[in-house]
Amino acid sequence: MAFASPAGDAYVTTMEETGIAPSPRSRGIIGDSSALALGTVISRTSGFVRVLLIPAIFGATSVGDVFLAANALPLTVFAMIGGQALGSILVPVLVRTLEKNPARAEAIGRSALTMITIALGSILALGLAFRSTIASGLTLGIADQGDATAIARILLLFMLPQLVLYGYIAFFVAYQQARGKFFLPAVAPTVENLTLIVAMIAIAVFFGDVHQTTATDTVVLLALGAGSTIALVLHLVIQAIGAAKAGARLGFGPLRPPPELAAQRGQLTSSLGWTMTYGLRIIALIIASGWVGGGGIQAFQIGFLLQNLPMALIGYPIAAALLPRLAELPALSVEIATVYSKVRDLVGWILVPIGIGLIVLSAPLGDALSIGRFSSANGPELIAASIAGLAMSAASEAVYEIARQTTLAHGRTGAFTRSIWIRGAISAIGIVAAPMLLDGWRLLLALGIVVSASDLAALYTIDRPLRRLANRTHSASGALYKSVAAALIAAVVCLLVGSWLSVSAPIARLAVLGPCYLVVYLATAAAVTDRGSQVKEIWFSMQRTLSS
C-alpha cells in the first residue's frame, strides 16, 4: 500500500493561501515515497512468486531448504556487515555535497566504491576458504546433514561471490536516491526475480524430478547456482545504468575515506551493531528452522517475506523519502523528532491492522500459499505457523526502520544502540531455547513469536526518546489505542464470519475473509477518528513542519 495524502492536493492550496511557498522536498515526499513503494510492489510481487516457486518445485525436502538457505546467505551477510546501513550513511553525505560541489560528491562516491570492493572482496576470500565449515553450520538442523552439507558446498561456490555484487548494488541505489531517483532502484530487482523464475522452471523441466536431487547430481546443482548468480548480475547492470543516468561517473578512487565519510564513523559504529545482530539473527533463524523438518526453512522464508512486506512497502519507502529532507534540518533539533512523531501516527493506522490481520488470516493464507509439491503433507500448517508468529514483527519492524533513519538524522544514537542490544538479547535466548523445547509447526510459531517480541521491545526503546522530544506522548498513545481497538474489532468479526463460512477452497475463503476484515476495520477506524478528520489533521501538521 502506497503512502498517500488523505487530502490530495488540498494542502498545496492552503500553503499558497498563507503565502508560504512549499519547498520542492516538502511537495515531493509523497511522490518520492509512492514511486519507491510502487517500484517495490512490482519487485516484491515477482520476488514473492520466486519464493513460492521454490517450494512448489522442491516440495518439503531438504534440497529445497538448502537451496533457499544458501541463496539467502550472501544478502544476509551483506546486511550483517553494514550493507543495510550504507544508504543511511551515504545518502545524507551525497545530498549535502551534490548541490554545492558535484566534483567533491564524485570523489566521495569513488572512494566509497573502492572501500566497498576491498572490504567485501576480503570477506569473500575468507568465505571461499572456509566454505566447508560454512556449509556444515548452515545445515546443522537438517536431518540428513551429510548430503545437505555436500549440496551446500557446491551451491556456495556460486552464492558467496554474490556478496560483492550486493555491495555494488547498494552503492548505485544510494547514489540514485541522493539524486531523487526512487522508482528504478526499487523496481530493478524484478529483473533478477524474473530471470531466476525462468531459470528454475527451465531446470525443473529439463532435469525432471529435481526434488530428488542429491549431492551426486552435480550438473543440477551447478545450474541452480549459476542461474541465481546470472540473475543478480542482470540486476546489478540495471542499477549501474540508473546511477550513470543520474550523473554518477563510475570508477574507483583512493582507499582512504574522505572527511565527509569519516565524520559518519559514529553512526557507522552504531549501525554495525544493528546490522550484525540483524544478520546473525537471520542466520540463526535459518539454522533453527532446519530442526522443524523437511520444508521448515522454506516455510520460514515465506513467512519472513510476508513479514518484510510492510517494511518494504511502507517503512522503507517513507524512511528513504524522509531521509534527504531530515538531513536538511538542524541536527539534534525538535523538528526532526516532531516530523517522525507525526509520520508514526499516520503509518500506525496502516501497520497495526496489518499485524493483527496476519494473525487472523494466517490459516487461509497458509492454505492458499501452499502450492505444487508443498501443498501436501504439513506444508500449509508450517506456512500458517510462520505467518502467525511473525505477524506483529511485520508492523513493528516498519516503524522501527522509520525511527532508525530519524535517529541517525537527529544525531543522538543512544536509544538506537540500546534497542540493538535489547533485540539481540531477546532473540538469542528465544532462538536457542525454542528448538530444545518444540518441533514441527510449533517450533516455527515459537521462532516467529521470539522475533515479534524482540522487535516490539526494540521499537519501544528507540521510539520513546523521540516521542518525549516531540512532546507528543499523550496524543500518540491515543492514536495507537484507537488503531488497535479498530483492528481487534475487525478481527473478532472476521473470526465469527470464518466460523460460519461453509466454503472450504483456500482462495475462496481468503477472498471472503480478507475484504471482510478490511471493511470492518476501515468502518471502525472512521468512526473513532471522526470520519478521518483526526488523521487529516496529523497529515497537515506534518506538512507544515516540513515546509517551514
Side-chain angles (χ1 to χ4, degrees):
M1 179 180 291
F3 182 53
S5 165
D9 295 328
Y11 182 62
V12 177
T13 305
T14 304
M15 290 295 298
E16 292 171 350
E17 289 172 352
T18 60
I20 303 174
S23 70
R25 288 203 178 278
S26 68
R27 183 169 51 229
I29 186 171
I30 291 305
D32 289 348
S33 60
S34 297
L36 188 53
L38 176 60
T40 305
V41 166
I42 297 172
S43 63
R44 290 284 169 162
T45 301
S46 61
F48 198 66
V49 175
R50 162 184 166 176
V51 171
L52 288 179
L53 182 65
I54 294 172
I57 290 175
F58 289 107
T61 61
S62 59
V63 64
D65 285 344
V66 174
F67 177 74
L68 263 182
N71 195 46
L73 184 63
L75 183 57
T76 304
V77 172
F78 176 68
M80 187 171 68
I81 60 177
Q84 285 193 327
L86 193 60
S88 304
I89 294 170
L90 270 179
V91 171
V93 172
L94 292 174
V95 166
R96 294 183 183 115
T97 55
L98 275 170
E99 295 182 2
K100 298 177 182 178
N101 191 347
R104 183 59 185 166
E106 179 184 334
I108 292 171
R110 288 174 178 266
S111 180
L113 198 58
T114 301
M115 290 187 288
I116 289 170
T117 302
I118 293 178
L120 297 182
S122 301
I123 296 171
L124 170 60
L126 286 173
L128 291 174
F130 292 95
R131 178 168 54 95
S132 296
T133 304
I134 295 172
S136 298
L138 202 61
T139 58
L140 191 62
I142 296 177
D144 187 5
Q145 191 186 6
D147 188 67
T149 301
I151 291 173
R153 277 200 300 267
I154 297 173
L155 292 175
L156 288 176
L157 280 173
F158 291 90
M159 304 301 185
L160 288 176
Q162 295 179 8
L163 177 64
V164 180
L165 303 183
Y166 280 120
Y168 292 154
I169 289 172
F171 170 80
F172 294 141
V173 168
Y175 193 93
Q176 290 176 80
Q177 290 181 349
R179 282 292 196 179
K181 309 297 183 183
F182 292 94
F183 180 72
L184 181 61
V187 78
T190 305
V191 176
E192 175 187 351
N193 294 328
L194 293 178
T195 303
L196 186 55
I197 288 171
V198 171
M200 292 291 299
I201 294 174
I203 291 169
V205 171
F206 185 79
F207 291 103
D209 295 329
V210 292
H211 65 288
Q212 297 177 353
T213 300
T214 64
T216 59
D217 299 313
T218 308
V219 177
V220 178
L221 297 175
L222 291 176
L224 289 170
S228 175
T229 302
I230 291 171
L232 187 62
V233 169
L234 293 177
H235 177 191
L236 171 61
V237 170
I238 299 297
Q239 298 289 12
I241 293 173
K245 287 186 175 181
R249 296 182 179 179
L250 309 180
F252 298 99
L255 178 59
R256 184 175 181 179
E260 293 87 346
L261 289 179
Q264 306 296 316
R265 195 166 293 152
Q267 292 188 2
L268 178 60
T269 302
S270 298
S271 295
L272 276 176
W274 167 64
T275 56
M276 285 289 287
T277 56
Y278 178 85
L280 286 172
R281 183 174 74 167
I282 296 300
I283 293 174
L285 286 166
I286 290 173
I287 295 172
S289 299
W291 268 285
V292 172
I297 295 177
Q298 297 175 77
F300 168 77
Q301 181 72 7
I302 293 173
F304 187 74
L305 186 63
L306 277 178
Q307 177 263 1
N308 195 249
L309 279 178
M311 201 272 278
L313 301 181
I314 301 171
Y316 177 67
I318 292 174
L322 276 176
L323 186 58
R325 294 161 175 85
L326 295 178
E328 294 179 343
L329 296 175
L332 306 177
S333 66
V334 174
E335 289 82 0
I336 291 178
T338 301
V339 170
Y340 161 76
S341 182
K342 293 169 183 175
V343 169
R344 181 187 179 276
D345 285 352
L346 287 170
V347 299
W349 288 101
I350 303 172
L351 295 172
V352 168
I354 288 177
I356 296 176
L358 284 175
I359 296 174
V360 174
L361 300 173
S362 59
L365 279 171
D367 291 332
L369 298 178
S370 300
I371 59 176
R373 290 193 173 98
F374 211 74
S375 60
S376 60
N378 58 347
E381 68 178 12
L382 290 179
I383 295 177
S386 180
I387 293 172
L390 292 166
M392 294 315 299
S393 174
S396 60
E397 188 70 1
V399 182
Y400 184 88
E401 174 64 14
I402 299 172
R404 183 183 72 85
Q405 299 275 26
T406 303
T407 300
L408 293 177
H410 185 260
R412 290 179 179 171
T413 59
F416 176 38
T417 303
R418 289 193 300 274
S419 73
I420 292 169
W421 294 113
I422 289 172
R423 182 168 73 171
I426 296 174
S427 298
I429 295 171
I431 293 173
V432 170
M436 299 178 182
L437 303 173
L438 302 166
D439 57 12
W441 67 266
R442 294 176 182 82
L443 174 55
L444 271 185
L445 178 63
L447 291 173
I449 291 173
V450 168
V451 172
S452 293
S454 62
D455 286 350
L456 285 168
L459 174 60
Y460 178 81
T461 304
I462 196 174
D463 172 85
R464 189 171 178 82
L466 291 171
R467 283 290 184 181
R468 285 180 172 176
L469 184 61
N471 294 320
R472 287 176 53 84
T473 304
H474 178 70
S475 61
S477 299
L480 177 63
Y481 295 150
K482 289 178 181 178
S483 61
V484 170
L488 288 176
I489 291 172
V492 171
V493 173
C494 185
L495 289 173
L496 290 174
V497 172
S499 65
W500 298 331
L501 198 62
S502 58
V503 179
S504 59
I507 300 296
R509 286 186 66 85
L510 197 58
V512 173
L513 297 178
C516 171
Y517 176 82
L518 179 62
V519 169
V520 175
Y521 171 74
L522 291 176
T524 309
V528 299
T529 59
D530 192 17
R531 291 190 228 178
S533 62
Q534 296 174 23
V535 178
K536 291 179 183 178
E537 176 54 35
I538 297 172
W539 165 257
F540 292 147
S541 178
M542 182 196 71
Q543 286 281 57
R544 285 192 291 270
T545 303
L546 279 173
S547 299
S548 61

